[in-house]
Amino acid sequence: MLKELLEWDREMFIYLNSLGIEQYDAFWSTVTKIPTWIPLFLLFGYLFFKKYTKREALFMILTVLVMVFFVVTLTDITKEVVARLRPNNDQEINTLIRILRSPTGYSFFSGHASSSFSITTIVYLFLHKHFKWTILFYLWPLLFVMSRIYVGVHFPVDIIVGALVGIFSAWLFYRLYLQLILPYLALNRRV
């Protein structure tokens, strides 16, 4: 079964990657870079400070940062343990695909997917009661992970697993925030 899944993954990657159009290479190459999204991160911080006290907003941002550290560490450890070659480094298929980036690290699971879905999910959980439109924030990780296939550096399973790890991590850290930090903030507000 694992063999069939990996074969499907490889074939799906080759198909999706082949849909790339040269005129859009600059767009997808920009989308895949983290600094491109700094304005979005600034918007997240602004919304935290707009809807919460300064102290609460700072603790939310601290929770996001600790979660990102956790997700990045988990991603890096998993990549080293699994040691799956990226499509651009896989000699069986790298002559069949479009390659716009050539990282040398391992592929499974996608750090772009895990980090972007974790950040988006926890921001959504913190803000959706105040801003109904925050569901639109999911456009970021969707574009971000699509770019990873387009530039030739991640298989679909890398992205799917990365997204699931990110969503679960966000849920976990949100629950920790509600159970540990929120009561602490409420207790100190009364004192």
Side-chain angles (χ1 to χ4, degrees):
M1 174 147 162
L2 180 60
K3 185 177 179 181
E4 289 85 8
L5 175 63
L6 293 176
E7 187 59 35
W8 171 87
D9 193 30
R10 195 175 281 211
E11 289 173 13
M12 183 59 68
F13 169 79
I14 292 169
Y15 171 74
L16 293 172
N17 176 265
S18 73
L19 296 175
I21 300 170
E22 196 172 326
Q23 294 134 321
Y24 298 112
D25 287 356
F27 170 77
W28 290 109
S29 293
T30 301
V31 165
T32 205
K33 295 177 185 171
I34 294 170
T36 302
W37 299 97
I38 289 174
L40 181 64
F41 303 150
L42 295 174
L43 174 62
F44 292 163
Y46 169 77
L47 293 174
F48 283 152
F49 284 105
K50 182 175 170 89
K51 280 301 170 186
Y52 294 98
T53 66
K54 182 178 179 181
R55 190 168 191 203
E56 289 171 319
L58 288 172
F59 272 98
M60 287 177 177
I61 291 169
L62 181 62
T63 301
V64 171
L65 293 174
V66 171
M67 178 198 66
V68 168
F69 176 78
F70 168 80
V71 168
V72 168
T73 303
L74 179 62
T75 301
D76 289 346
I77 290 170
T78 304
K79 282 183 178 186
E80 291 301 317
V81 170
V82 175
R84 183 182 194 193
L85 289 178
R86 290 179 183 271
N88 61 291
N89 297 322
D90 186 336
Q91 293 189 359
E92 290 182 27
I93 64 168
N94 68 4
T95 57
L96 306 173
I97 63 174
R98 302 176 77 246
I99 300 172
L100 302 179
R101 293 273 179 267
S102 294
T104 57
Y106 294 118
S107 183
F108 184 82
F109 51 86
S110 168
H112 279 66
S114 61
S115 60
S116 63
F117 273 95
S118 66
I119 293 168
T120 302
T121 301
I122 200 165
V123 167
Y124 172 78
L125 291 170
F126 282 139
L127 294 174
H128 76 280
K129 291 178 185 167
H130 301 288
F131 304 101
K132 299 299 181 201
W133 51 267
T134 55
I135 194 75
L136 295 175
F137 289 150
Y138 279 99
L139 291 174
W140 166 49
L142 291 173
L143 282 172
F144 206 38
V145 300
M146 285 171 40
S147 75
R148 306 309 283 168
I149 291 175
Y150 189 95
V151 301
V153 298
H154 276 298
F155 293 101
V157 166
D158 301 339
I159 289 168
I160 293 166
V161 172
L164 292 173
V165 167
I167 291 167
F168 176 75
S169 297
W171 176 83
L172 175 67
F173 275 81
Y174 180 71
R175 299 300 307 163
L176 290 171
Y177 176 87
L178 293 179
Q179 293 177 358
L180 301 175
I181 297 173
L182 201 57
Y184 167 79
L185 291 171
L187 180 67
N188 286 329
R189 196 178 302 136
R190 286 189 230 127
V191 175

